[in-house]
Amino acid sequence: MRARRVGRAWRRDRRRDRLPGRGAKRPPPAPSGPTALVIAGADVVVVGFFSVKQKDFAALMDAAASALTARGARVVGRIVQRRGVSDGGVAKMSRPFSSRTLLRYGKVREAADLCERTAADAAVFLTPLTQRQRRVLTEMLGRRALSLAETEAEAERA
C-alpha cells in the first residue's frame, strides 16, 4: 500500500481496500423486482433487528412469521439481532450496526449458515432494506434478501 502526503501527515491509499482489481470478476447483480421471488411456496428465514428498548420483539417476529405463512411461505428459521444489549450508547440504539448489512458480521454469518442448513429460498428482514443493503446481503447470504414490506407489496399485486 502506498502512502501519500496530505498536508503535514502521511495517509495510506485506501482505494485498494474498496475497489476490486481490474481483472476481478464481479458477482452477477442481485435479482430485483416483484418477479424475482414468489413468496408462496418458498422456504424463508425471518431476520429481525431490534433495539433493546423494544421489549415486544418476540411478538413482532411471531406476527411477521404468521403473515408470511398466510401468504404461503414456510418459515424455516429465525434470527434476531438486538442493539444495545451488550455495547453501544443510548444514542446509537435505534441505528443499525452496519450501513451495508444492517447487522453485525457475525450475525450475518449466522444467518447465512442457517439459510444454508435449511435450504431456504430467501431471507426476509423485518426492517426495510436499502438497495445497497439488499444487494450486499443477497451476496453474503447466497440467496435473496428482501424486506417484509416488499413481500406485502408483492402480495397486494397478486
Side-chain angles (χ1 to χ4, degrees), residues 3-54:
R4 59 187 168 92
R5 188 168 182 119
V6 177
R8 291 184 171 191
W10 286 90
R11 308 267 186 212
R12 288 186 183 175
D13 187 8
R14 304 288 304 217
R15 272 187 290 163
R16 277 186 39 191
D17 293 344
R18 288 183 260 140
L19 299 175
R22 292 181 188 200
K25 293 185 179 181
R26 291 186 178 218
S32 62
T35 60
L37 176 73
V38 176
I39 289 297
D43 292 341
V44 297
V45 171
V46 180
V47 183
F49 172 77
F50 304 102
S51 167
V52 73
K53 293 178 181 179
Q54 199 162 10

Side-chain angles (χ1 to χ4, degrees), residues 143-154:
R143 56 213 13 92
R144 178 90 190 270
L146 63 157
S147 66
L148 186 63
E150 290 177 84
T151 63
E152 291 170 356
E154 179 183 309

Side-chain angles (χ1 to χ4, degrees), residues 124-143:
V124 178
F125 286 76
L126 271 64
T127 309
L129 299 174
T130 63
Q131 277 296 104
R132 181 180 183 202
Q133 288 170 339
R134 192 176 302 112
R135 185 180 65 245
V136 169
L137 286 167
T138 297
E139 182 180 319
M140 290 179 79
L141 296 175
R143 56 213 13 92

